Amino acid sequence: MEITKLQPISKDILEEIGFEWHTDPDSSSYIANEAIALKEEEAENYYAAANELYDMFIEAAQYVIDHNLFFEIGIPFNAIDMIKMSWEEDIHWHLYGRFDFAGGLDGTPIKLLEFNADTPTMLFESTIIQWALLKANGMDESLQFNNAYESLRENFKRLITLEENTSDFESLYEGWRILFSSVQGNIEEEQTVRLLEHIAKEAGFNTQFCYAHEAHLSQEEGLFYQNLNYEFWFKLIPWESIAVDEPDMASMITEMMRNKNTIFLNPAYTLLFQSKRILKILWDLFPNHPLLLETSFEPLPNQKQVKKHAFSREGENIQIIGANGEILAQNGGSYGNLPAIYQSFTPLNQYQDKHYQANVFYAFEACALGFRQGGEILDNYSKFVSHFIK
């Protein structure tokens, strides 16, 4: 790997552009003062991998639905109707997601670790901050695999056109509104949602932001905020959390979908993609595919592997297990009661004693690359690392 040191952007400037989660709880900077140098071919390979995998996830999700495998991949029972309704109609458009990859640099193969399809964060730093870092260091900011802003703007228009070509957006658009919401108190999630709102407004929508508890849901009349009705609701709340922790809300949303008065973003079917248990379905459908790692619901015999749980986040409850069953590394967390998967181990990109995971955003197509840096198990203390194409 080739690493270039960068001069950091001051905290004051970061906050001026809306980036407030720049410092970790241990007082270290979240944004690494370095950038990874990529060959153009490496960037193209990440782009192609995400595009190919998205098509594979579509096939795997259809297989789960056709064979009623919701329980097997850990889907809460009260989310099934929402998933089926959103899957069956094109109007439930997938806005964006994020693939996490091992490998891809120095000739190492790209391997899928998981797909954050429902509530992916890291968008602000990938879309805005790494571009600003290159610019602040006198580098050509265009030399990045990073057009997420433009791709998201076009994908918002596809909520109306429902096709790749968005040239008919203005003639089809009838002043519809999108309400954007996050949970109060999480500044990272709020700023992610506010960035999406800004992009949607640029695309031509009428938009508003409120905290999730301020939105009013009615199964007969739809979604309201401050006496205005909204046709779309983007809520950065995981679908599994709604199903498990807010069953009344889940029931309300199900009826709103059934009455076709509100469209939810990201759609409920992204819960199928989000479950790490679908990685086993992918392996069954595409055995030995070069982008996949062998994955099972049971421990893999005689090989190093990683144990994860269906909807775990930020590296919680991950174990790296040796070929003889010994635990080599592990993180605690609150997801240990969820069903597990066992995924064949593959090393992350490594430079000296640090590990680097590639993250590729997807909005109709692969659209931006960023990296996270940390230990062998990446957790909430991992750093964001920019890149440039040399």
Side-chain angles (χ1 to χ4, degrees):
M1 285 179 60
E2 182 180 336
I3 300 285
T4 296
K5 291 295 182 181
L6 299 178
Q7 289 296 318
I9 300 174
S10 74
K11 294 179 181 179
D12 289 343
I13 292 176
L14 288 174
E15 291 177 7
E16 280 181 19
I17 60 179
F19 191 75
E20 299 184 28
W21 59 99
H22 47 63
T23 303
D24 283 331
D26 62 359
S27 298
S28 63
S29 176
Y30 165 56
I31 305 296
N33 61 337
E34 63 185 40
I36 296 173
L38 269 77
K39 301 172 185 174
E40 186 172 352
E41 180 184 9
E42 291 172 329
E44 291 173 349
N45 288 341
Y46 282 124
Y47 172 82
N51 289 337
E52 182 174 358
L53 282 164
Y54 193 84
D55 290 341
M56 293 162 63
F57 268 90
I58 294 291
E59 188 169 334
Q62 187 66 65
Y63 186 87
V64 168
I65 293 170
D66 291 344
H67 294 83
N68 196 31
L69 300 178
F70 298 101
F71 175 79
E72 284 79 357
I73 68 168
I75 302 300
F77 75 93
N78 58 341
I80 294 174
D81 284 351
M82 292 190 288
I83 289 171
K84 287 181 176 179
M85 285 188 288
S86 64
W87 184 257
E88 290 166 1
E89 296 188 32
D90 288 342
I91 58 171
H92 299 279
W93 196 264
H94 188 190
L95 185 60
Y96 81 116
R98 192 194 75 222
F99 289 97
D100 294 346
F101 292 129
L105 302 178
D106 299 329
T108 58
I110 296 172
K111 295 291 184 179
L112 172 69
L113 299 176
E114 57 195 62
F115 184 24
N116 300 281
D118 177 18
T119 56
T121 53
M122 222 177 88
L123 182 66
F124 198 110
E125 46 268 57
S126 299
T127 303
I128 307 295
I129 300 301
Q130 65 172 337
W131 172 85
L133 268 170
L134 293 193
K135 188 174 180 64
N137 280 266
M139 303 169 69
D140 185 350
E141 63 269 21
S142 68
L143 292 179
Q144 285 186 344
F145 171 20
N146 182 13
N147 63 331
Y149 195 100
E150 296 79 9
S151 294
L152 280 163
R153 187 170 57 207
E154 290 302 296
N155 221 20
F156 272 113
K157 293 180 180 180
R158 293 187 186 99
L159 297 176
I160 306 302
T161 65
L162 299 178
E163 59 182 25
E164 179 177 359
N165 188 339
T166 62
S167 59
D168 291 335
F169 171 77
E170 290 186 6
S171 63
L172 295 172
Y173 175 61
E174 298 181 6
W176 289 305
R177 301 182 178 95
I178 307 178
L179 183 63
F180 289 83
S181 297
S182 64
V183 175
Q184 188 172 12
N186 188 316
I187 187 60
E188 179 183 2
E189 293 183 359
E190 180 178 336
Q191 292 301 94
T192 297
V193 173
R194 288 186 182 274
L195 173 61
L196 288 165
E197 183 202 359
H198 179 78
I199 297 171
K201 187 174 293 185
E202 274 199 3
F205 282 91
N206 293 313
T207 69
Q208 184 58 270
F209 173 88
C210 75
Y211 295 114
H213 70 273
E214 298 173 325
H216 175 71
L217 283 66
S218 165
Q219 66 182 49
E220 292 87 10
E221 299 178 355
L223 173 69
F224 288 84
Y225 175 63
Q226 294 182 341
N227 297 320
L228 284 178
N229 176 239
Y230 290 82
E231 289 81 10
F232 298 88
W233 192 26
F234 181 93
K235 40 87 204 134
L236 201 65
I237 308 170
W239 281 111
E240 73 273 14
S241 296
I242 293 173
V244 174
D245 301 330
E246 302 286 347
D248 290 342
M249 183 180 181
S251 178
M252 175 71 72
I253 289 175
T254 300
E255 293 308 310
M256 292 168 74
M257 285 187 184
R258 190 165 283 124
N259 292 331
K260 300 185 177 182
N261 56 38
T262 309
I263 298 171
F264 297 88
L265 304 170
N266 276 310
Y269 64 73
T270 57
L271 185 55
L272 299 178
F273 302 161
Q274 186 83 18
S275 172
K276 295 173 180 61
R277 300 268 289 185
I278 203 173
L279 297 171
K280 193 265 186 187
I281 306 299
L282 278 171
W283 183 256
D284 290 345
L285 294 176
F286 306 98
N288 300 307
H289 190 284
L291 293 172
L292 299 179
L293 295 166
E294 182 180 0
T295 306
S296 174
F297 293 158
E298 304 296 332
L300 298 166
N302 305 315
Q303 63 173 293
K304 189 176 181 180
Q305 59 202 277
V306 178
K307 181 182 179 182
K308 307 177 184 180
H309 295 266
F311 299 109
S312 59
R313 295 169 183 270
E314 297 179 335
E316 291 192 21
N317 298 106
I318 286 181
Q319 292 182 340
I320 299 177
I321 302 171
N324 296 320
E326 69 277 23
I327 297 175
L328 304 177
Q330 64 179 333
N331 277 357
S334 56
Y335 300 96
N337 61 327
L338 298 177
I341 61 154
Y342 297 83
Q343 186 181 57
S344 180
F345 177 86
T346 191
L348 299 175
N349 299 303
Q350 192 166 351
Y351 181 78
Q352 297 177 351
D353 62 340
K354 297 174 181 175
H355 298 79
Y356 295 80
Q357 180 189 92
N359 310 105
V360 177
F361 279 93
Y362 185 96
F364 191 74
E365 64 178 346
C367 58
L369 171 67
F371 290 87
R372 284 193 296 165
Q373 171 215 93
E376 200 168 27
I377 299 176
L378 293 174
D379 56 23
N380 202 31
Y381 281 85
S382 64
K383 308 302 183 184
F384 177 80
V385 180
S386 182
H387 77 282
F388 67 96
I389 299 171
K390 58 185 180 179

